[in-house]
Amino acid sequence: MLSWDDLRQKCMDCRSCRLSQTRTNVVFGVGCTEADVMFVGEGPGEQEDLKGEPFVGAAGRLLDDMLAIIDLDRTNCYIANIVKCRPPGNRDPQDDEQDACIGFLRNQVELIQPKMIICLGRVAAKRLIDPNFRITREHGAWVQKGGIWMSAIYHPSALLRDPSKRPETFEDLLSIRNKIIETGSKI
Ligand code: URA
């Protein structure tokens, strides 16, 4: 396991997959390095690539609102992605790109030791919870893996495209809030 400084440097220097050839910035992650609650998206979009910070575009503004509902913000949780470089045209990150990058996320999880990880959308849920994960059926459900509580909610971009999913997501956010209380997580 690398220290934060070594991990960040290795990530910034990474050329392990094709996404490194088209990136503007590596999007490492943001938030509290001792957070009990971690959120994981799929990969940076255009705004994130330009700024080097996760979830700063339209979906990110919605994510901030979602976090606020459960008393979270960018200082008391940690936000990262499955891949740290932008997939061109915002396509899904391919399996080999995820394979090349997942070690960075695993090291982040080892350093943070969160009590829970919330996957934002299908791509993260399939990678971290179950390759057969069905977001429409299984969002809001909890499983424990390696001592960490895991759940997935709809990706904020999906909620922007389809606002009819928002009431279910509100329920999922309340469930996260309950899990925070149940596990004595600090926020
Ligand atoms: N979508 C993601 O999955 N991650 C980001 O950082 C931004 C948009």
Side-chain angles (χ1 to χ4, degrees), residues 6-24:
D6 290 350
L7 182 65
R8 184 180 286 275
Q9 194 57 53
K10 194 173 169 200
C11 201
M12 296 300 149
D13 294 342
C14 181
R15 295 275 162 197
S16 300
C17 87
R18 64 187 81 74
L19 299 183
S20 65
Q21 293 162 15
T22 49
R23 73 178 177 226
T24 312

Side-chain angles (χ1 to χ4, degrees), residues 27 40-45 48 53-57 59-60 79-81 120 155 157:
V27 179
V40 179
E42 59 184 72
E48 291 76 20
E53 184 174 332
F55 286 99
V56 290
I79 305 172
N81 281 303
L120 298 170
H155 194 286
S157 300

Side-chain angles (χ1 to χ4, degrees), residues 47-111:
Q47 295 305 312
E48 291 76 20
D49 175 63
L50 291 173
K51 287 208 180 145
E53 184 174 332
F55 286 99
V56 290
R61 286 191 290 279
L62 180 55
L63 178 62
D64 286 336
D65 291 345
M66 290 159 66
L67 297 179
I69 288 171
I70 50 174
D71 300 322
L72 294 174
D73 58 40
R74 284 170 192 255
T75 66
N76 59 8
C77 65
Y78 196 87
I79 305 172
N81 281 303
I82 297 285
V83 296
K84 313 295 195 211
C85 298
R86 183 191 181 202
N90 297 348
R91 63 164 171 73
D92 286 354
Q94 293 168 2
D95 284 348
D96 64 328
E97 296 159 353
Q98 295 187 29
D99 292 345
C101 211
I102 198 74
F104 293 124
L105 182 66
R106 296 212 182 284
N107 202 328
Q108 286 172 309
V109 171
E110 278 184 81
L111 287 165

